[in-house]
């Protein structure tokens, strides 16, 4: 087992990086798409609807192949590295699912909060950043955690665009050593540990947001 660990850890490190940066992109994309879908400006609303439906309604693998194999071709002529494709593809895909969660979370904020912000003469951006967004994030935390874990598991697909993630290293070691049980048992354990780390981090963040909400209401 010790001889397998160094290469597997290299793959796990790549998986962690993709998960982290993909999660940041997913959170930003989900928030912007949710706000856009709620906008009164019709072109923006329809653009966000199209983004959400396309990325939710098509295969993640096909999306990755499009970004990696199709974009370099005319008329696009846009070549992205496998690392960039992995982050952009996973982030936009999960962000499309997260947009509906964020939209529901924003709508769940009590109307009295908006009225209080208006009474205090808060600007729209200040109102959203300081009052609405923290409460929406708290409401979205549970389903959002599931999506981030799903993003982690979906990173296994990036090995198909030549990125040496954990799944890529596992298959590489399996072909080299024929120790299938050990290799994939170790890979399974690593994915489980990373998923639990995400779960723990999100629970701590949820408690922090909940504590801030309680203190803000006193």
């Amino acid at each position: 087992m010790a001889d397998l660990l160094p290469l597997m850890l290299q793959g796990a490190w790549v998986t962690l990086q993709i998960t982290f940066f993909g999660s940041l992109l997913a959170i930003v994309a989900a928030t912007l798409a949710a706000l856009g879908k709620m906008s009164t400006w019709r072109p923006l609303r329809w653009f966000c609807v199209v983004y959400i439906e396309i990325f939710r309604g098509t295969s993640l693998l096909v999306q990755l192949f499009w970004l990696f194999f199709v974009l370099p071709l005319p008329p696009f002529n846009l070549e992205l590295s496998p690392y960039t494709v992995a982050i952009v593809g996973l982030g936009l895909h999960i962000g499309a699912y997260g947009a509906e969660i964020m939209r529901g979370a924003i709508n769940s904020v009590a109307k009295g909060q908006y009225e209080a912000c208006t009474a205090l003469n808060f600007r729209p951006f200040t109102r959203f950043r300081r009052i609405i967004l923290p409460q929406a994030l708290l409401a979205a935390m549970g389903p959002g955690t599931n999506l981030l874990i799903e993003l982690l598991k979906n990173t296994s697909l990036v090995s198909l665009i030549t990125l040496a993630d954990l799944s890529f290293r596992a298959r590489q070691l399996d072909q080299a050593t024929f120790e299938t049980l050990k290799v994939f048992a170790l890979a399974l354990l690593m994915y489980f540990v990373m998923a639990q780390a995400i779960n723990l981090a999100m629970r701590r963040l949820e408690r922090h947001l909940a504590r801030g909400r309680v203190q803000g209401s006193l």
Side-chain angles (χ1 to χ4, degrees), residues 58-115:
T58 58
S59 165
L60 173 58
L61 181 58
V62 175
Q63 293 166 19
L64 291 173
F65 282 174
W66 254 87
L67 292 171
F68 189 67
F69 294 112
V70 178
L71 285 187
L73 302 175
F76 307 106
N77 297 315
L78 179 61
E79 187 169 353
L80 302 175
S81 68
Y83 189 81
T84 302
V85 167
I87 293 171
V88 171
L90 287 165
L92 293 180
H93 182 81
I94 296 299
Y97 285 92
E100 289 302 303
I101 294 174
M102 280 301 300
R103 186 171 67 89
I106 292 171
N107 285 332
S108 71
V109 177
K111 292 183 179 180
Q113 299 289 321
Y114 292 90
E115 295 170 356

Side-chain angles (χ1 to χ4, degrees), residues 115 200 215:
E115 295 170 356
L200 178 61
Q215 290 173 350

Side-chain angles (χ1 to χ4, degrees), residues 84-167:
T84 302
V85 167
I87 293 171
V88 171
L90 287 165
L92 293 180
H93 182 81
I94 296 299
Y97 285 92
E100 289 302 303
I101 294 174
M102 280 301 300
R103 186 171 67 89
I106 292 171
N107 285 332
S108 71
V109 177
K111 292 183 179 180
Q113 299 289 321
Y114 292 90
E115 295 170 356
C117 291
T118 302
L120 292 171
N121 201 28
F122 280 1
R123 294 181 178 180
F125 179 75
T126 303
R127 176 183 66 191
F128 178 75
R129 181 177 61 87
R130 297 187 60 182
I131 307 299
I132 307 304
L133 183 59
Q135 295 183 62
L137 287 175
L138 182 59
M141 199 63 65
T145 300
N146 293 335
L147 281 183
L148 294 184
I149 293 175
E150 189 67 24
L151 189 152
L152 167 68
K153 294 187 292 185
N154 285 339
T155 59
S156 60
L157 295 176
V158 304
S159 62
L160 300 176
I161 56 171
T162 72
L163 200 60
D165 72 319
L166 180 56
S167 294

